[in-house]
Each structure stands twice: as structure tokens, then as C-alpha cells.
Amino acid sequence: MSPSTPVSVLTIAGSDSGGGAGIQADLKAFAAHRVHGLSAIAALTAQNTRGVTAVHVPPLDFLQAQIDACFADFDIHAVKLGMLANAEVIGLVADALEKHRPTHVVLDPVMVATSGARLLEDSALDALRTRLLPLATLLTPNTPEAELLLGRRIVSADDAEDAAIALLDLGAGAVLLKGGHMAEGARVIDRYFDGVTREEFSHARLPVDAHGTGCTLASAIAAQLCCGLSLPNACEAAIDYVARGLQGGYTPGRSAVLVLDHFGAARPA
């Protein structure tokens, strides 16, 4: 690899035909961070800013072929995982990670779309817990996703602290529990814990209905890890990136859903 060749990061996730989340958001975030983005599409969605109307899961052998093609040719420094719709897909992806052993795995446990559409089959939840969490360098759930993983409510700051510890006990190397769904006043507090280091990252809560923030955050973290940042610093930098993207976001469809401005976010004031 020549000095001018960017490092590569692979997203294994779902495609968003509306361009605001999923694979499309991941690749925009990678490009904004000047890393080379690769993709293996694990699901196709018929989706726009109003919601998800259909989901198609490609054949497993085709997903395998995509992953193998990427690892056969590129120097992959990190893998970001997004929408993996069923237990069979999760098992295949886990097998691939165990085979190729990328340095970093950022797992965004996509279960429910912002619109409320369920994106993870019930039978896949246990597979996600037992097969993928132990392979994750970092787990990035929002509060509803953490509640599904743990089978309990998270309604307070103390609950969130306990949940981060419990998620770590499931096998993830570190947890970034996102606070956007929690009612903590005018600030959004994201909580990081890796068993040793505990951090809180706080930003002003914006009065917007945003699309693709979770995908973008996980992808930005993966990109920052590729660039050599530590896990806590990568989380902080990615959270700042998403906050800037929200401030410069736009509404491309006919609904009021905001899509992040990835390239404006890459140029902080």
C-alpha cells in the first residue's frame, strides 16, 4: 500500500433507497473522513424519509461473496455492522469476522427504524447477543435497542449506567450507549464504558426529527479508529461530527425528516 492510499473500512449493513441511512450514509461518512469505503449489502429496503415499506434479504451465498471479495483485495482496518435482519445472516457475518479477524468491529445493533418499522426478526435477537456481541470492539445501541438486548427498561441515568455495565458483560469490548431517546433535559448524554474508562459526551438537544444518525455515528467511529484514534477519542470525535451534521442537515423528501450534511460536518468551524 502506497503512502497516498487511504485505509479501507467495510460496512456490512442494509441499503436505504432514500439515501439517508444504511449503506448510503455509511459510505458518505467514510468519504468525509478520507477513508476508503467498502460495502457488503446484507439487506435491501424500500425506504424514504416517511418510512420503510419493504425489506428484501439477498441470498446468503451472495452476501458471503461480497464479504470475501472485499477481504481478498483490500487492507481492511475496521468493519462496521448495521442492519442484519435474521439469525442466518448474523451467523454468516459472525463466521466471516472469526475467519478474517479485523482489528476493529463497530456494531450498531439496528433493530427498529426511526419510523417504527421492525428491522430485526425476533429469532435473530439471541444470535446477535451470542454470536456478534463477543466479536464487537464497540457496541453502539440507542436506549430502545439496549432495552431489547437486556430485556429491561432504561428510564434514568442510573439505569443507563447499569445498562452499559450489563451490555459489557454480554461480551462487547466497549459500549457507547446513545442518549437521544432518554429524557434528560436540554442535553443529550452519550455514555461510554469499556470496563476501565468511563466517559460522558454531552451535546445540546436539537429540535429536529433526524434520519440516519445511528448509522452515521457508528461509521464515523469506525473511520476514526482507522485513522488511529483510541476508542474514547474516536467516539468523541464521531459524536462531534454527527452534531455538526445535524446543524447543517437538510430535508430532501416531502416529510420533515432531517438528513445529515456529511461533508459540511467534515469541516468544523
Side-chain angles (χ1 to χ4, degrees):
M1 188 169 67
S2 72
S4 61
T5 302
V7 298
S8 294
V9 56
L10 168 64
T11 172
I12 307 175
S15 170
D16 173 8
S17 54
I23 292 281
Q24 287 79 356
D26 298 340
L27 293 176
K28 291 173 189 175
F30 296 157
H33 286 83
R34 299 184 181 276
V35 297
H36 181 65
L38 312 171
S39 64
I41 299 176
L44 301 165
T45 68
Q47 185 174 172
N48 54 30
T49 57
R50 296 174 176 178
V52 179
T53 59
V55 175
H56 171 68
V57 179
L60 291 178
D61 58 353
F62 185 70
L63 175 58
Q64 183 74 64
Q66 294 178 79
I67 295 171
D68 288 345
C70 290
F71 276 102
D73 191 31
F74 299 94
D75 184 17
I76 297 173
H77 286 225
V79 173
K80 180 262 181 177
L81 303 178
M83 178 187 173
L84 306 174
N86 59 46
E88 291 74 22
V89 169
I90 289 171
L92 184 151
V93 170
D95 288 344
L97 295 175
E98 289 171 344
K99 174 184 176 182
H100 295 290
R101 293 291 176 182
T103 303
H104 302 292
V105 176
V106 178
L107 172 56
D108 181 22
V110 177
M111 300 177 185
V112 181
T114 303
S115 63
R118 186 68 183 263
L119 300 177
L120 183 76
E121 295 179 4
D122 290 338
S123 61
L125 188 56
D126 187 59
L128 193 151
R129 288 192 195 102
T130 59
R131 293 297 314 276
L132 284 184
L133 258 66
L135 299 174
T137 307
L138 177 71
L139 176 70
T140 65
N142 59 31
T143 304
E145 291 162 349
E147 289 178 335
L148 282 173
L149 285 168
L150 296 173
R152 68 189 197 218
R153 295 292 309 280
I154 302 170
V155 296
S156 68
D158 287 343
D159 289 343
E161 295 285 347
D162 291 342
I165 295 170
L167 289 168
L168 202 68
D169 289 342
L170 290 177
V175 175
L176 179 67
L177 180 58
K178 297 176 289 191
H181 290 79
M182 290 190 62
E184 296 189 89
R187 308 291 293 179
V188 173
I189 301 174
D190 301 313
R191 293 172 170 87
Y192 172 89
F193 183 55
D194 61 16
V196 177
T197 301
R198 189 186 302 271
E199 298 276 0
E200 290 188 356
F201 307 110
S202 175
H203 278 89
R205 185 179 296 275
L206 300 176
V208 297
D209 181 11
H211 181 55
T213 53
C215 303
T216 298
L217 177 63
S219 296
I221 293 170
Q224 294 286 7
L225 290 171
C226 284
C227 295
L229 269 65
S230 67
L231 261 176
N233 289 341
C235 290
E236 182 175 23
I239 290 167
D240 289 344
Y241 172 81
V242 171
R244 294 195 302 270
L246 286 171
Q247 291 169 354
Y250 57 95
T251 54
R254 292 185 174 89
S255 76
V257 171
L258 190 77
V259 171
L260 277 72
D261 174 12
H262 287 266
F263 293 93
R267 297 186 293 272

